[in-house]
Amino acid sequence: MTDRDEKPRGELSRRRFLQGTARTLGAALASAGIYEVIDTIAQPPERLAFAAPTPERGQEQYTFNEAVINVDGSAVESSNGTILVRVPALHDHIITATLNVPANAKALQEAQQHLESVLLGLDQQFAPSPAGAGITVAWGLPYFHQYIPSLGKASSFFKAGTQYPAYLPVDLVTSKMEGHTVYALQEARTFPSDQPPPGFGPVRLEQNAVAVLLRSDSLANIMTITNALFGRGSNQAGSLFKVTSIRQGFSGGGFYGQQGLPSKMALAANIPGAQSIPRQSQGFLGFATTLDSNMGPGNIASLETLPGLTDQWPNGYFKQGATMHLSHLFQDLVTWYEQNFPQYADRVQAMLQPGLSPAPAPGTYALQPPGPSEAEVAQGVQRYHAYGHSGSMSPVDSTTSPMTSNYGMAYSTGTTIPVRGDFDTLDNPFHYTSDPTADHYSEKPAAGLHFIMFQPTIAIFNLVRLSMDGYYPDMTLPIAPRSPHAGINSVLQTTHRQNFLVPPRRHRSFPLAEFLA
């Protein structure tokens, strides 16, 4: 067995994988199941040389103090490396829920104080970095629609009597384009290439009230936070929620020369195609997903940062917040590595853009900004009858000209706006679900992705996602959206989608409840 094909020894057996899936909520909250082995097979990166040990906690919930390092062509940290990547946390968990709170002002304001008290205690316990933990609380449209129908109290933000959805951030660009008010947070939609597995039925457009994202190098930290937020004790916040799903996974592990978690975990779970995952890969598909050039810098993804995007500058209630898209996708590794894209060069061209000639060894390969324009993507289709995944999104996911933010930060042309937070998973499709029939829950591990993206408006996410299918505002590429010539779409199967609003930290607990009367 080669080092690349190394399976975790001893403690990580097939039996443990199959026994590690949680069937009940209590078991799911108390245990990470199959993911508990991560701490025995992967050491947290040595981050202190690259990141401050006590990072400042800003108002932006979605930002995270990740180290940025240079890697070489094999995706390993190197002083001679020319590609910048952000080193993600090893563990990622998402808990979604509806509310167990009466829809009246008194109950919601008490819930607001209770949740915030618990969160403040966690803030004191864990630094906002992978060595501590990142906690992001996001709220879905069902929360605002069902629990905040109107604001009974006047404030510096809103008039008394403001009704849903008029208090939500307004997407100024899309409103002007469509001739009516469009809000930054919109209901989730499906896209042309969305296709669940056979027998699954249509993509589930979820209706959760809240989603909590937890990120850390330490599983113990995440489990402590999970217990505080969803445990049932008087000093815990679990009585406020009805958990609908728990989604768990991992990322990275190989940037410093070790075998990455995607390779280790997939091999241990006997995932079809696992033997083809590059040894140090950050993700199942063999490419780094946190290339610094592909991640929005600083607070660019906030509602108010870029001039003219929303109405939250200078003093909006949701200023320093963002929108968040959450989805789950299965990844077909056999089709990716063995059928549609058997050569490394094939995979590079599918992931980035056709016509590239990479070195023969699998590694990290980056499209440096600015990426191809819409016209250049169309020219590539004419020449190669194909387009790449990242290349197709470059015309719409970044600044199209030099720009200065409302905070005075200068951004060059081609600066990425969204911030990704996705991670690989063996959930099928979730670690736990309150509705196993509708979610087609299975205990059999499967290669998948819990996809997360933060951006100022959901319209931006929709624009980026449509471009992945070859759909642009003024043209559609003549490629079938699920064709092997359409980037990586042919190996993805989407099952769930939902959009959320991520308030600033000061309003993360039951936002707007203080204005109810």
Side-chain angles (χ1 to χ4, degrees):
M1 180 178 293
T2 66
D3 188 34
R4 167 176 163 173
D5 294 333
E6 178 185 353
K7 295 184 182 182
R9 297 179 178 89
E11 70 275 6
L12 191 53
S13 66
R14 175 68 172 169
R15 178 184 295 274
R16 181 165 183 179
F17 262 83
L18 293 178
Q19 290 179 343
T21 309
R23 298 184 181 184
T24 67
L25 176 58
L29 289 172
S31 168
I34 59 180
Y35 304 103
E36 290 181 355
V37 301
I38 291 174
D39 283 358
T40 70
I41 63 176
Q43 294 298 316
E46 295 290 338
R47 297 182 183 271
L48 296 189
F50 307 102
T54 55
E56 182 178 346
R57 192 184 305 276
Q59 282 295 320
E60 294 83 5
Q61 287 197 79
Y62 66 90
T63 60
F64 202 35
N65 192 55
E66 298 163 319
V68 179
I69 64 172
N70 283 292
V71 299
D72 59 20
S74 60
V76 175
E77 192 272 333
S78 170
S79 59
N80 296 322
T82 60
I83 301 170
L84 286 174
V85 297
R86 300 185 190 182
V87 183
L90 296 177
H91 296 276
D92 302 84
H93 290 198
I94 300 169
I95 301 97
T96 63
T98 56
L99 299 186
N100 189 36
V101 179
N104 64 69
K106 182 176 184 294
L108 286 165
Q109 288 162 4
E110 289 176 352
Q112 184 184 56
Q113 295 172 6
H114 186 178
L115 178 58
E116 186 59 20
S117 175
V118 173
L119 287 168
L120 286 173
L122 294 170
D123 286 347
Q124 295 173 356
Q125 190 173 356
F126 300 104
S129 71
I135 306 173
T136 304
V137 185
W139 299 87
L141 281 172
Y143 165 73
F144 297 105
H145 181 244
Q146 297 171 21
Y147 289 88
I148 316 290
S150 64
L151 306 180
K153 299 178 182 178
S155 68
S156 61
F157 303 108
F158 309 104
K159 296 178 180 179
T162 300
Q163 296 188 343
Y164 169 86
Y167 49 70
L168 293 175
V170 175
D171 178 342
L172 298 177
V173 173
T174 309
S175 296
K176 181 178 180 179
M177 187 168 53
E178 297 192 5
H180 61 88
T181 300
V182 177
Y183 296 97
L185 177 62
Q186 302 177 36
E187 290 280 8
R189 54 160 291 177
T190 58
F191 297 92
S193 68
D194 278 354
Q195 180 175 297
F200 188 92
V203 174
R204 299 205 72 192
L205 301 180
E206 299 182 272
Q207 293 292 313
N208 294 298
V210 64
V212 178
L213 168 63
L214 306 177
R215 297 178 276 185
S216 179
D217 281 341
S218 167
L219 179 60
N221 289 358
I222 285 184
M223 299 311 293
T224 296
I225 296 168
T226 299
N227 189 45
L229 292 176
F230 297 98
R232 309 294 288 189
S234 60
N235 62 339
Q236 300 168 320
S239 62
L240 306 176
F241 305 111
K242 298 177 182 177
V243 173
T244 55
S245 76
I246 299 175
R247 314 173 193 204
Q248 301 181 350
F250 48 86
S251 185
F255 285 125
Y256 298 94
Q258 308 95 326
Q259 185 180 3
L261 287 173
S263 172
K264 282 186 175 181
M265 299 291 283
L267 286 168
N270 290 327
I271 299 297
Q275 71 282 355
S276 298
I277 300 172
R279 181 184 182 277
Q280 288 140 335
S281 173
Q282 181 186 348
F284 283 142
L285 297 188
F287 291 83
T289 62
T290 56
L291 294 170
D292 197 53
S293 61
N294 290 347
M295 301 277 277
N299 67 346
I300 194 172
S302 292
L303 292 157
E304 81 290 347
T305 299
L306 295 180
L309 283 188
T310 76
D311 64 349
Q312 292 301 290
W313 179 265
N315 297 310
Y317 179 87
F318 292 102
K319 176 185 175 184
Q320 297 171 299
T323 64
M324 180 181 88
H325 177 79
L326 171 65
S327 52
H328 169 264
L329 308 89
F330 290 114
Q331 300 176 93
D332 186 340
L333 304 187
V334 172
T335 298
W336 175 244
Y337 286 108
E338 300 175 17
Q339 297 176 5
N340 290 359
F341 310 100
Q343 302 299 318
Y344 174 59
D346 298 333
R347 297 192 292 275
V348 167
Q349 293 173 19
M351 183 63 73
L352 291 115
Q353 66 183 49
L356 297 177
S357 300
T364 295
Y365 202 84
L367 270 184
Q368 297 301 325
S373 66
E374 192 174 314
E376 288 169 333
V377 173
Q379 290 168 6
V381 169
Q382 287 182 340
R383 181 174 180 181
Y384 300 103
H385 195 64
Y387 63 85
H389 173 68
S390 295
S392 70
M393 298 184 289
S394 292
V396 295
D397 73 354
S398 54
T399 56
T400 56
S401 61
M403 183 176 295
T404 300
S405 78
N406 282 320
Y407 294 98
M409 179 65 69
Y411 297 118
S412 60
T413 299
T415 300
T416 302
I417 297 172
V419 176
R420 289 178 57 168
D422 49 277
F423 54 94
D424 283 340
T425 185
L426 296 173
D427 292 350
N428 192 356
F430 304 143
H431 177 63
Y432 163 82
T433 169
S434 62
D435 193 347
T437 301
D439 287 326
H440 294 263
Y441 172 81
S442 172
E443 294 183 1
K444 182 180 180 181
L449 181 75
H450 292 304
F451 184 84
I452 299 170
M453 196 160 89
F454 302 101
Q455 57 279 308
T457 69
I458 291 300
I460 291 176
F461 170 78
N462 289 343
L463 189 65
V464 173
R465 181 58 186 81
L466 283 167
S467 72
M468 179 176 150
D469 290 349
Y471 286 71
Y472 296 92
D474 54 357
M475 74 169 186
T476 300
L477 299 177
I479 302 287
R482 289 197 60 80
S483 162
H485 305 289
I488 65 174
N489 295 349
S490 63
V491 303
L492 304 178
Q493 294 179 313
T494 307
T495 63
H496 297 72
R497 292 192 182 279
Q498 188 176 355
N499 297 325
F500 296 86
L501 183 60
V502 181
R505 197 173 307 278
R506 61 184 172 272
H507 298 314
R508 62 187 169 179
S509 299
F510 290 84
L512 301 171
E514 66 270 29
F515 301 135
L516 296 176

